[in-house]
Amino acid sequence: MMRIMIKIYIAVVIIVSLFFTRPVYAYLDPGSGSMIWQMLLGALASVVVFFKFFGRKFLALFGYAKKDTNNPDKSDSKKKVD
């Protein structure tokens, strides 16, 4: 029941905010757009590098990491050749 009330409240706030808007008179020049793109690409690159270095530990924190199936004791590469 509480979730339904929260969803209704959010919908009412969005609808009311769309009907009562004011002009802002803001201007974004090409330099601003370029800076925004640069920030977004930098954020994306940092997320990729984070998961490359700490991905397994981060996923293990939430219990989503796969268990290591490469058991060195049962490896076929270390068999002795007679």
Side-chain angles (χ1 to χ4, degrees):
M1 181 68 181
M2 188 67 171
R3 287 184 179 177
I4 295 172
M5 294 300 293
I6 291 173
K7 288 180 183 180
I8 291 172
Y9 177 73
I10 291 173
V12 168
V13 167
I14 290 172
I15 291 171
V16 169
S17 66
L18 290 175
F19 282 117
F20 297 106
T21 59
R22 296 182 294 161
V24 178
Y25 304 114
Y27 174 71
L28 289 175
D29 61 343
S32 299
S34 174
M35 188 168 45
I36 291 170
W37 274 110
Q38 190 174 9
M39 287 188 304
L40 290 174
L41 289 176
L44 178 68
S46 65
V47 167
V48 168
V49 169
F50 174 81
F51 278 108
K52 182 172 174 78
F53 288 124
F54 303 110
R56 231 177 245 263
K57 291 180 182 179
F58 183 74
L59 292 176
L61 181 67
F62 295 107
Y64 291 114
K66 293 181 181 178
K67 293 184 179 179
D68 191 17
T69 58
N70 296 331
N71 192 350
D73 296 333
K74 296 181 181 179
S75 176
D76 291 335
S77 63
K78 294 187 178 182
K79 288 185 177 180
K80 293 182 181 180
V81 177
D82 292 342

